[in-house]
Amino acid sequence: MPQDNKPPGSAGLPGRVRNILATKGLTLRQVSQKTEILYGRSSPFFLPHNLYYDLGLDTFTPSLHQLFALSLISNYRLADWLRVFGFVLGDLTRLQILLPSNRTFLLDPSLDDPRSWILWFHSKSDIVPLPRVAPLGQLLEYSSARRVASLSGIDNRNFLYAKLGRQDAFAFPDLLPGSIVRVDPRRRGEFLKHADGTVSEDFFLLAYAKGYCCCRIQTIGNNRIIPISTELPYAQVDLRIPEEVTILGVVDFEIRPLAKPEPPEVPKDLARHWRPEKLPQSEMTLGRLLRTARTRMALSFRESSSMSRQIADLLTDEHYFASPGSLSDYETRDLPPRHVHKAITLCAAYGVAWSAFLKSVGLRIEEAGTDFIPDELLLRLLPARFVTKEDANPKARFFTDLLGQWAGEVPFFLRSSLSVLSGIPKPSLHDVFWIGGERTPLHPSLTGGLMAIVNRRKKKPAHWDSKAVWQQPVYVVLKRDGPYLCAYCSPENGILIVHSYPQGFRRSERLRNRLEAEIIGQIVTIARKLP
């Protein structure tokens, strides 16, 4: 799923704002008068009648409260007004995935723009039998672009998504730190019927006072469970449902970055037996929300400020930087930041949901506007490779079947984060391989695999005897007699050794490098189903 083109900057911003308001029969003076009537001139919601002049200086942006007032009065969505002023909420997800994370937190699919365009595909002619491994370019080709909202049948948002932290890796090595997991909340109650000390086969996403974690669970009766670590020495603490823990659902998909796998850690506060606490309230003031989130993410003010520096450097805007003192003030004084940039930084660094942040500063998204700003005014562009070709072979079902593997929901909101997950600046269809036909994979990361992103520039195999299997790089290999295979490999005097992991189904193969086989590239990201 290639990324959409992003709209250009704020050239002619005063004119764009004027034109947007005109579609609702409004002038800026009228908007200013309405904010004065609704909120008062001394309110943070008040919009001055000379706003156009301020916008023309290129040094001013409205506050979050002022943008909320624009949304309410114009009935255009707050997310659209934010985008007019250069803040694309989908980038918040990209930042959260890009930044290193100590602890697990939830991602928010609703930040995706439902009116944005994405490239779409259709199947080429049916290939029978379907290969075990093949480039998607052999199976799919580009079709007409679609709006995200038109794909509601396969993007119904019944699922939750979380990024796994390195300090609460209860499911390691089955699930790796830095992975994105999909969680099915409809299956959360199945295992609780067993209260006999059984340990689950499935991994569950739990919410408890210390944050979130993905783990197997053991039921011990009377609505009590114990999070079970697969391999690492985390303390076993029994938790009461629903006072001390909530089961959010069963993990059914993992999107695993493989280019630089993160090693897990076992911090002292989770290694030693700790006293369970009641779950925090769902609605909190800003100060308490930030303090709770920062503590859950195991961050100091200095570490948080360092993360804000990374965000400012990535977005080339100093407004995103927050000093340790400023971060402390937000928690103690309970006052929202003046700049939208700081709000985005706080949500990105602390894993705070955007809707929760808005609610903590007195802004309820359900009270904002609901209409979409027209494409031409929002500069919502078609994908660069937009074509109008329709499905040439409606009988070919590979694409339909591939979508069906996702069980009703494809995480389109992650499309702008594929470059972060893969390390490839602009991944395309030619970088993606179908690997769903491999029933006996040679590497544990490939178990249940559907698709893999391949870095075709990394063709030199590497293999370290001292590293664990999950740390070994995985490659796509093309054998001269036709088939592709996925495995970790090592060179040996012109011979390519194709290894099988210890519990594998095959013996290692010895192939003459570039004569009997060649490496196509290193697998850097995998999307796989969990059993």
Side-chain angles (χ1 to χ4, degrees):
M1 292 177 285
Q3 300 178 39
D4 293 345
N5 289 335
K6 291 184 180 179
S10 57
L13 183 57
R16 287 179 61 203
V17 174
R18 183 183 295 109
N19 292 337
I20 291 169
L21 292 177
T23 63
K24 294 290 187 176
L26 293 168
T27 65
L28 182 59
R29 181 174 291 277
Q30 291 172 322
V31 171
S32 177
Q33 290 171 345
K34 288 189 177 185
T35 57
E36 183 176 3
I37 294 170
L38 289 172
Y39 306 110
R41 292 183 66 89
S42 61
S43 165
F45 293 92
F46 176 70
L47 282 159
H49 68 274
N50 63 342
L51 178 66
Y52 291 144
Y53 173 78
D54 293 334
L55 294 178
L57 298 176
D58 285 335
T59 58
F60 171 83
T61 55
S63 70
L64 196 52
H65 287 76
Q66 290 173 319
L67 290 172
F68 188 89
L70 267 176
S71 172
L72 186 146
I73 293 169
S74 68
N75 198 36
Y76 281 133
R77 298 168 69 244
L78 176 60
D80 283 6
W81 275 114
L82 284 163
R83 188 163 185 157
V84 168
F85 289 93
F87 304 104
V88 182
L89 287 183
D91 286 346
L92 178 54
T93 299
R94 183 170 61 89
L95 288 171
Q96 289 177 331
I97 293 175
L98 177 63
L99 294 171
S101 177
N102 290 334
R103 300 292 172 87
T104 298
F105 64 92
L106 294 178
L107 298 170
D108 187 356
S110 70
L111 297 181
D112 194 15
D113 179 6
R115 297 284 292 172
S116 62
W117 294 93
I118 65 173
L119 287 171
W120 201 238
F121 310 95
H122 66 245
S123 303
K124 292 185 177 180
S125 58
D126 275 338
I127 300 176
V128 180
L130 191 67
R132 293 183 301 182
V133 179
L136 272 189
Q138 291 183 5
L139 307 172
L140 300 177
E141 60 185 349
Y142 290 109
S143 181
S144 56
R146 306 280 185 91
R147 290 194 192 268
V148 170
S150 71
L151 303 172
S152 57
I154 49 177
D155 190 27
N156 52 30
R157 296 183 179 171
N158 287 327
F159 295 83
L160 302 174
Y161 295 86
K163 179 185 176 183
L164 303 186
R166 62 176 176 270
Q167 292 185 0
D168 51 13
F170 283 77
F172 176 84
D174 300 277
L175 302 173
L176 295 188
S179 288
I180 310 299
V181 295
R182 191 181 77 170
V183 179
D184 188 350
R186 296 168 297 185
R187 297 172 56 192
R188 71 181 113 191
E190 291 178 4
F191 186 71
L192 295 180
K193 299 174 184 178
H194 307 280
D196 54 0
T198 303
V199 176
S200 66
E201 291 292 332
D202 292 323
F203 293 97
F204 290 81
L205 178 64
L206 308 181
Y208 62 120
K210 287 182 175 290
Y212 300 92
C213 73
C214 282
C215 60
R216 290 189 170 96
I217 61 174
Q218 182 180 25
T219 55
I220 54 175
N222 298 322
N223 288 325
R224 302 180 80 91
I225 63 170
I226 298 176
I228 300 297
S229 173
T230 303
E231 184 173 296
L232 300 175
Y234 291 98
Q236 293 190 2
V237 178
D238 62 288
L239 304 168
R240 291 179 298 164
I241 304 172
E243 297 89 351
E244 297 167 351
V245 65
T246 299
I247 299 177
L248 299 178
V250 173
V251 179
D252 69 350
F253 252 97
E254 179 190 20
I255 299 174
R256 176 181 291 194
L258 290 177
K260 295 180 180 178
E262 295 184 64
E265 301 176 16
V266 182
K268 290 182 180 179
D269 67 316
L270 292 178
R272 298 172 180 173
H273 192 278
W274 45 273
R275 184 182 298 276
E277 300 176 7
K278 289 187 176 181
L279 287 166
Q281 299 174 355
S282 57
E283 293 192 23
M284 294 183 255
T285 62
L286 176 64
R288 187 177 177 192
L289 174 70
L290 296 179
R291 184 164 52 254
T292 300
R294 182 178 57 80
T295 303
R296 282 180 162 188
M297 295 294 281
L299 290 170
S300 67
F301 288 121
R302 187 176 297 278
E303 291 169 329
S304 303
S305 179
S306 178
M307 292 179 74
S308 77
R309 167 52 60 199
Q310 294 181 58
I311 295 171
D313 291 344
L314 286 166
L315 301 180
T316 63
D317 191 333
E318 281 297 308
H319 287 100
Y320 289 96
F321 173 72
S323 67
S326 297
L327 295 171
S328 176
D329 288 344
Y330 295 142
E331 294 186 16
T332 55
R333 296 183 181 179
D334 218 20
L335 293 175
R338 163 65 181 82
H339 293 100
V340 180
H341 313 72
K342 298 293 193 297
I344 291 175
T345 290
L346 291 167
C347 290
Y350 294 171
V352 172
W354 180 249
S355 58
F357 183 91
L358 294 180
K359 195 174 294 184
S360 73
V361 298
L363 304 177
R364 295 187 176 272
I365 196 64
E366 60 271 15
E367 298 174 0
T370 56
D371 292 345
F372 292 91
I373 293 177
D375 286 1
E376 63 273 13
L377 294 175
L378 194 59
L379 304 181
R380 188 187 282 115
L381 305 179
L382 284 169
R385 296 191 58 176
F386 173 72
V387 291
T388 58
K389 186 191 302 182
E390 297 301 325
D391 196 335
N393 185 2
K395 295 182 180 180
R397 292 192 48 83
F398 171 76
F399 189 44
T400 303
D401 293 342
L402 178 61
L403 294 175
Q405 294 287 332
W406 289 88
E409 182 165 309
V410 178
F412 294 116
F413 79 102
L414 294 175
R415 66 189 180 280
S416 63
S417 302
L418 289 180
S419 59
V420 176
L421 291 166
S422 65
I424 301 174
K426 293 183 179 180
S428 71
L429 181 65
H430 302 292
D431 300 313
V432 185
F433 276 66
W434 153 257
I435 60 173
E438 184 58 84
R439 304 303 179 193
T440 56
L442 299 178
H443 192 282
S445 293
L446 303 170
T447 303
L450 286 183
M451 295 184 293
I453 300 178
V454 177
N455 189 335
R456 293 173 176 266
R457 292 188 176 185
K458 295 188 176 182
K459 297 177 179 288
K460 186 176 181 180
H463 176 70
W464 294 279
D465 294 334
S466 60
K467 289 190 177 183
V469 171
W470 64 271
Q471 294 175 300
Q472 301 289 350
V474 189
Y475 300 89
V476 172
V477 178
L478 174 61
K479 300 175 71 173
R480 288 306 185 199
D481 57 359
Y484 292 88
L485 60 87
C486 302
Y488 63 93
C489 314
S490 62
E492 187 178 301
N493 298 324
I495 300 297
L496 189 64
I497 310 298
V498 179
H499 299 275
S500 176
Y501 66 93
Q503 293 79 33
F505 297 91
R506 308 177 197 167
R507 298 178 60 184
S508 297
E509 287 189 71
R510 297 173 61 87
L511 302 169
R512 288 179 294 170
N513 195 15
R514 304 192 181 189
L515 292 176
E516 296 178 321
E518 67 171 316
I519 292 180
I520 300 301
Q522 181 181 341
I523 295 178
V524 288
T525 311
I526 283 178
R528 69 186 195 100
K529 295 173 64 175
L530 271 65

